[in-house]
Amino acid sequence: LQRSVPSSGLLRMAAPDYGTVNNVQPQSRKERLSQQCREDLEKMRLRQRREGYCHYEESGVTPPPDSLGYISEADRFVTDVAAVEKSEREAAIAKKEQIVHNKRQNKADMEEKRWRTIEIEHQIDQQRQDDMRGDPSYGKSNKTSMPYNPINLEYADGRDGDCLRYSDDALKYRSARRAQHLQQRTSNGYNPITGAPAQPVYVPHAPMPPTFG
């Protein structure tokens, strides 16, 4: 059964009270587009994170463009790994070749310096020999220190040779006299082993000193 309710008898309800109204700032086009990128979306959520966690600070890690640690985004995301490996290998090979070239150049310079020194020494020695040939005073250095010829075993002629001959003869005479004296004092003219008469020591005549008029 349907009950008819007069229109004048409709229940009227009071309007509810208005509470706190939260105004939401509309997002810009850049913000809406940034939400489509996963990396930008994560950075945005980290910036808005304040519940006692470490929050994201914009440009807190990125070095300034004029610093040594700065690198552009294009260089950070290099996808051609083969080209990077090839460039590193080429750089290592070029460095090794440069080291070998420097060593070769240093060796060549040292060898050139050594030969130049040898040539200079040869020129100096050649000049010294030419000077010695041209100066007759250098021939005096070939003379012996004593007036005696070691080739033919003869004394030189002159005052120095006679003095040296007398000095040598006197030395021989004194040594013979000493040997004779020892022979007479020790064995009385006999061999102490065999008992036979000992061979007397020959004593030359006393040399006469040279006279110079």
Side-chain angles (χ1 to χ4, degrees), residues 5 15 25 31 35-36 38 44 55 62 67 72 74 83 92 98 103 106 120 133 142 149 154 174-175 179 198 205 211:
V5 178
Q25 184 70 23
E31 292 176 351
Q35 294 179 3
Q36 298 178 4
R38 181 177 180 181
M44 182 186 67
H55 57 276
T62 305
S67 63
S72 62
Q98 185 65 29
K103 288 183 178 180
N106 293 335
I120 293 174
R133 293 190 187 99
N142 293 327
N149 193 340
E154 293 182 358
R174 289 194 303 269
S175 61
H205 297 286
T211 58

Side-chain angles (χ1 to χ4, degrees), residues 60 68 111 144 152 178:
L68 296 177
E111 190 69 14
T144 58
N152 54 15
R178 184 174 182 275

Side-chain angles (χ1 to χ4, degrees), residues 26-42:
Q27 295 181 349
S28 63
R29 180 178 298 178
K30 182 178 180 180
E31 292 176 351
R32 292 195 304 270
L33 293 177
S34 65
Q35 294 179 3
Q36 298 178 4
C37 180
R38 181 177 180 181
E39 183 178 357
D40 295 339
L41 180 60
E42 291 178 355

Side-chain angles (χ1 to χ4, degrees), residues 190-198:
Y190 292 93
N191 192 335
I193 298 176
T194 61

Side-chain angles (χ1 to χ4, degrees), residues 59-70:
S59 68
V61 182
T62 305
D66 56 348
S67 63
L68 296 177
Y70 175 76

Side-chain angles (χ1 to χ4, degrees), residues 134-159:
D135 191 356
S137 62
Y138 282 96
K140 296 180 180 180
S141 60
N142 293 327
K143 293 182 179 180
T144 58
S145 60
M146 301 296 292
Y148 184 80
N149 193 340
I151 305 301
N152 54 15
L153 304 180
E154 293 182 358
Y155 294 95
D157 297 334
R159 181 187 183 94

Side-chain angles (χ1 to χ4, degrees), residues 101-117:
H101 174 72
N102 293 338
K103 288 183 178 180
R104 186 185 299 111
Q105 188 66 30
N106 293 335
K107 291 290 185 180
D109 295 341
M110 292 174 60
E111 190 69 14
E112 182 67 23
K113 183 178 180 181
R114 187 177 71 88
W115 278 107
R116 191 181 302 110
T117 304

Side-chain angles (χ1 to χ4, degrees), residues 1-166:
L1 296 176
Q2 296 182 355
R3 186 177 56 180
S4 61
V5 178
S7 59
S8 60
L10 293 177
L11 297 177
R12 295 180 178 274
M13 298 181 64
D17 298 333
Y18 291 102
T20 304
V21 178
N22 296 325
N23 294 325
V24 178
Q25 184 70 23
Q27 295 181 349
S28 63
R29 180 178 298 178
K30 182 178 180 180
E31 292 176 351
R32 292 195 304 270
L33 293 177
S34 65
Q35 294 179 3
Q36 298 178 4
C37 180
R38 181 177 180 181
E39 183 178 357
D40 295 339
L41 180 60
E42 291 178 355
K43 290 181 180 180
M44 182 186 67
R45 291 176 178 177
L46 288 174
R47 282 194 300 269
Q48 296 175 358
R49 200 171 186 178
R50 292 293 185 272
E51 292 84 8
Y53 298 94
C54 296
H55 57 276
Y56 177 80
E57 296 291 342
E58 186 69 27
S59 68
V61 182
T62 305
D66 56 348
S67 63
L68 296 177
Y70 175 76
I71 184 172
S72 62
E73 295 295 330
D75 295 334
R76 287 180 63 242
F77 299 97
V78 177
T79 58
D80 194 358
V81 181
V84 175
E85 291 286 340
K86 183 175 182 296
S87 61
E88 292 179 355
R89 289 196 302 270
E90 290 178 352
I93 293 173
K95 181 179 179 180
K96 187 180 296 184
E97 290 180 352
Q98 185 65 29
I99 292 174
V100 173
H101 174 72
N102 293 338
K103 288 183 178 180
R104 186 185 299 111
Q105 188 66 30
N106 293 335
K107 291 290 185 180
D109 295 341
M110 292 174 60
E111 190 69 14
E112 182 67 23
K113 183 178 180 181
R114 187 177 71 88
W115 278 107
R116 191 181 302 110
T117 304
I118 292 175
E119 291 178 357
I120 293 174
E121 291 178 354
H122 176 71
Q123 293 176 1
I124 294 174
D125 186 63
Q126 191 69 27
Q127 184 66 30
R128 178 175 173 273
Q129 293 181 4
D130 295 340
D131 296 340
M132 291 174 63
R133 293 190 187 99
D135 191 356
S137 62
Y138 282 96
K140 296 180 180 180
S141 60
N142 293 327
K143 293 182 179 180
T144 58
S145 60
M146 301 296 292
Y148 184 80
N149 193 340
I151 305 301
N152 54 15
L153 304 180
E154 293 182 358
Y155 294 95
D157 297 334
R159 181 187 183 94
D160 295 337
D162 296 339
C163 293
L164 182 60
R165 183 184 293 108
Y166 172 74

